[in-house]
Amino acid sequence: MGMANARTFTPVDEYLQGELETEIRHEYVNGTVYAMGGASRNHNIVTMNLGTALHAALRGGQCQTFMADMKVHLRLGDDELFYYPDVMVGCDPDDRHRYYLERPRVIAEVASPATERLDRREKLLAYTRLDSLATYLIVEQQRPAVQVYRRSAGWAAEHLGAEDRLELPELEWSLPVEELYTGIDPDAVAEDPAPPYR
């Protein structure tokens, strides 16, 4: 997420149409549209490693893996939101909108200095209110570390390191955490700026 646009309110249908016509992705929070900044090399590599591992394991089954350009739509009381998770898995055959999911099973965000506060607070609170969600992952991009929030554990944080395995029993899938970091440069320090919004 990034800077809010200058308008005070954007209707949902106008936001969705605008996303089809722009090269810049935006997230939507109750009528306010936020432009998203670019991601670092490590962010892209970790996201790709997780997404492709899930896609390869789930291909041909009921569950499908989505990366970066597929939105999640949330209605939480009077709040209406659209976010772009880094990786998302949907398993509900009736959740078939072309541009977003409403009932994802797993969501993962790869944290950066610019998005960490959002991922750990606002998105954690929002995602864990989705009835369909079994697991929310926050994956570090600089070092092997994953925070796992599971519905089955009351959304308490589980901390995994390089020596651990990431287990998603709801998908019958697991992967050594260190494999998420194949190809990253641990010395390439992220240079993302602090978030300029809110």
Side-chain angles (χ1 to χ4, degrees), residues 113-129:
T115 67
E116 187 169 9
R117 179 169 58 91
L118 182 69
D119 295 339
R120 296 186 191 283
R121 295 176 61 191
E122 180 179 311
K123 288 188 176 181
L124 172 64
L125 291 172
Y127 291 158
T128 56
R129 291 174 64 186

Side-chain angles (χ1 to χ4, degrees), residues 45-103:
I45 291 171
V46 172
T47 300
M48 185 71 71
N49 287 345
L50 176 59
T52 55
L54 283 165
H55 175 70
L58 301 176
R59 185 173 47 207
Q62 180 173 312
C63 297
Q64 293 181 304
T65 305
F66 302 93
M67 291 174 54
D69 291 326
M70 188 70 158
K71 295 180 282 295
V72 60
H73 179 210
L74 302 97
R75 290 187 185 93
L76 307 174
D78 294 332
D79 298 334
E80 188 161 15
L81 312 129
F82 288 88
Y83 293 128
Y84 281 96
D86 289 314
V87 180
M88 183 167 49
V89 175
C91 301
D92 188 330
D94 296 324
D95 196 7
R96 305 299 297 176
H97 195 279
R98 290 181 65 188
Y99 300 110
Y100 56 81
L101 294 183
E102 292 186 307
R103 296 185 290 280

Side-chain angles (χ1 to χ4, degrees), residues 20-36:
L20 300 177
E21 299 170 355
T22 182
E23 295 180 6
I24 300 171
R25 294 181 304 155
H26 301 80
E27 294 188 329
Y28 180 95
V29 179
N30 293 327
T32 302
V33 177
Y34 295 91
M36 298 179 66

